[in-house]
Amino acid sequence: MILPGNTLGMLGGGQLGRMFTVAARTLGYRVLVLDPDTGSPAGRMADEHLHAAYGDAWALEQMATRCAVVTTEFENIPADTLRTLASFIPVRPGAEALERTQDRAREKAMIQSCGLDTAPFRVVTALDEVESAFAAVGGPAILKRAALGYDGKGQIGVDSAQAARDAFDQLGQVPCVLERRLDLEREISVVLARSAEGETLCYPVAENIHRHGILHMSIVPARIPEEMAEVARRAATHLADALDYCGVMAVEFFITTAGELRVNEIAPRPHNSGHYTLDACVTSQFEQQVRAVCGLPFGDTRLLSPVVMVNLLGDLWAKGEPRWAELLDHPGAKLHLYGKSEARPGRKMGHFCVLDDDPEKAIADAETLFAALEPGS
C-alpha cells in the first residue's frame, strides 16, 4: 500500500492527468508529471513538471528514483517507456494492457477472444485488400486508423468499395480497420476500477450522445433496462480481467436497434463519460485511480443524484469568451475548466454537470444552459 506523502508519477499532462493530480494532492500525495508540453494542464497543477519526451532517459530516471508508482492518462504512451519504468517501480496499468488497446485491430481481436461481440470488421493493411474487406463487411461502413485515432479523428465514413479505397488513400494507407456502421438505438459506457489483486468495482452506466465523433453529453443513469446495464458491467469486468488491468478504465458499447449489445472500444484510462463522477458520486473516477494504483481500498461508487455532463469544446470560444453567468447562476450546475491556453475547434476545454432528482429536468436544463453559453446568444 502506497500511503499519502509519497510521490506519484503521471505520464501525460492533459485534462485527465490534471484531474488525477488534483485528487492525488487532495489526498496528500505529491505528483510528478512527465509531458513534453510546457503548458500542459496537469503540469500546472503538479508539484513538479518534467518538460521532456516520454522516452527521455534523464526524465525516466527521475521518475524511477523519485516516484512510488507511475500511471498514465492516455493510451499512446510508448510501451517501451512503461517497460523501462516497470523494471524499477510499479507501473499501473502495465505496458501489455496499453499495447493491446493502442491498436484497434489487436483490441477488437482481443474483445472477440473474450466471447464478446463487436461490429463486423476487417483489417486493411494494403490498397488491394480494401475491396474484399468492404465486400465482407458491407456498407455503410467506417474506415478507421488502427492506431492514433480519437474523438472522431482518423476515421472516414464510406458507402462503397471505391469510397473505401479513396478513404484508405486519404488516411495515408496506414493499417486500418473497416467496420460496418450499425443501426444504433444508443451508446453507453462503463467506467470501472480494478486493483492489482483483481478486485473490480463499476460505476453507474452512462448514456452517451456524440456530435461529429466527439462526446457531447453523458446522461446518468443511462436510460436502459437494468438487465442490459448488468450485462454491460459484466462484459467490462471481463475485459479488465483479460487485460490484467490495474487502474481506472472505460468500455464503450453500442446498443443496436435490434437490442444487441456490442463492444465499441476500450479506453485504458479515466474517461470523458466518467467526468460526472466528480460531482455526482461518493468517489470520483480520479480519486479511484489514485486508490487503485496505490493499492488503497476502493471508494464508494454510489450515484448521489441523476446527472448530465456536457463537454465544452474550443468551438464555443470562436466568437469570444462564453457567457458563464446563467450557468453559474444555476444551483445544480458545476463548471470545470481545464486551464488550456488556446481554444481550438474540437479541443476539449472543459465540461459542466447538472444535477437534479428529475433526470429529464437535468437533461432539459443542461441543453438550455449549453445554448446560453454561446457569445451573442
Side-chain angles (χ1 to χ4, degrees):
M1 187 179 292
I2 299 168
L3 295 174
N6 280 284
T7 297
L8 312 183
M10 168 56 69
L11 295 170
Q15 65 266 17
L16 299 179
R18 177 188 178 96
M19 289 181 271
F20 169 88
T21 298
V22 171
R25 295 194 66 181
T26 299
L27 286 171
Y29 294 92
R30 294 175 57 81
V31 179
L32 179 61
V33 166
L34 172 58
D35 188 283
D37 180 5
T38 57
S40 77
R44 292 179 178 182
M45 302 297 289
D47 293 275
E48 189 172 349
H49 178 190
L50 302 178
H51 308 134
Y54 295 119
D56 184 89
W58 174 84
L60 295 184
E61 180 184 6
Q62 293 295 305
M63 298 200 86
T65 56
R66 297 168 58 186
C67 298
V69 65
V70 169
T71 189
T72 59
E73 64 115 36
F74 75 111
E75 51 266 53
N76 290 318
I77 299 293
D80 286 346
T81 292
L82 302 180
R83 289 195 178 94
T84 296
L85 289 170
S87 63
F88 300 99
I89 55 173
V91 176
R92 300 167 176 164
E96 292 74 16
L98 261 68
E99 270 190 323
R100 295 173 77 180
T101 55
Q102 286 172 342
D103 180 276
R104 283 192 168 96
R106 288 198 299 267
E107 179 181 87
K108 288 181 181 296
M110 189 272 292
I111 292 168
Q112 291 188 339
S113 74
C114 291
L116 300 172
D117 293 328
T118 67
F121 74 95
R122 288 291 186 276
V123 178
V124 177
T125 59
L127 192 60
D128 59 8
E129 297 172 357
V130 174
E131 190 167 343
S132 61
F134 188 86
V137 168
I142 309 173
L143 187 71
K144 302 178 179 181
R145 289 177 59 114
L148 302 178
Y150 65 98
D151 284 346
K153 299 178 178 67
Q155 53 185 266
I156 301 172
V158 297
D159 56 9
S160 68
Q162 185 56 51
R165 288 172 61 89
D166 294 342
F168 186 66
D169 194 53
Q170 186 176 335
L171 291 175
Q173 297 192 19
V174 297
C176 289
V177 169
L178 184 68
E179 177 183 304
R180 184 188 301 167
R181 187 185 293 274
L182 302 174
D183 293 326
L184 300 183
E185 176 188 309
R186 66 190 73 226
E187 299 180 52
I188 63 172
S189 59
V190 176
V191 174
L192 62 83
R194 186 176 186 274
S195 71
E197 293 73 34
E199 179 190 357
T200 304
L201 195 60
C202 293
Y203 281 92
V205 178
E207 175 184 341
N208 301 318
I209 298 170
H210 294 79
R211 291 183 178 177
H212 310 296
I214 303 175
L215 180 64
H216 168 60
M217 176 183 290
S218 292
I219 301 165
V220 187
R223 296 171 293 182
I224 60 174
E226 175 55 28
E227 295 79 6
M228 180 164 284
E230 179 57 25
V231 171
R233 288 191 291 266
R234 287 201 305 267
T237 299
H238 186 25
L239 290 170
D241 289 341
L243 290 168
D244 193 21
Y245 195 84
C246 181
V248 169
M249 62 173 267
V251 182
E252 299 177 13
F253 297 88
F254 296 135
I255 300 177
T256 71
T257 53
E260 302 166 319
L261 186 70
R262 308 258 185 138
V263 179
N264 176 23
E265 62 184 29
I266 301 167
R269 50 175 170 75
H271 196 251
N272 195 171
S273 68
H275 289 350
Y276 75 89
T277 64
L278 284 162
D279 300 308
C281 289
V282 176
T283 308
S284 77
Q285 64 170 342
F286 301 102
E287 179 182 337
Q288 203 79 294
Q289 184 183 14
V290 175
R291 289 174 171 272
V293 302
C294 290
L296 305 180
F298 284 147
D300 191 345
T301 59
R302 180 162 35 102
L303 188 69
L304 299 174
S305 166
V307 58
V308 174
M309 188 282 303
V310 180
N311 267 333
L312 301 174
L313 305 183
D315 312 64
L316 191 61
W317 277 255
K319 298 178 182 178
E321 189 70 15
R323 297 158 54 97
W324 302 116
E326 188 170 338
L327 174 64
L328 294 173
D329 190 51
H330 190 294
K334 304 292 184 181
L335 176 64
H336 300 261
L337 295 177
Y338 302 152
K340 296 182 178 179
S341 57
E342 181 185 0
R344 299 192 296 267
R347 191 183 197 194
K348 293 173 181 174
M349 301 295 293
H351 72 270
F352 70 86
C353 290
V354 177
L355 287 72
D356 198 287
D357 290 339
D358 181 349
E360 294 305 317
K361 185 174 185 302
I363 295 170
D365 284 359
E367 290 172 338
T368 298
L369 292 171
F370 181 72
L373 286 173
E374 185 173 354
S377 61

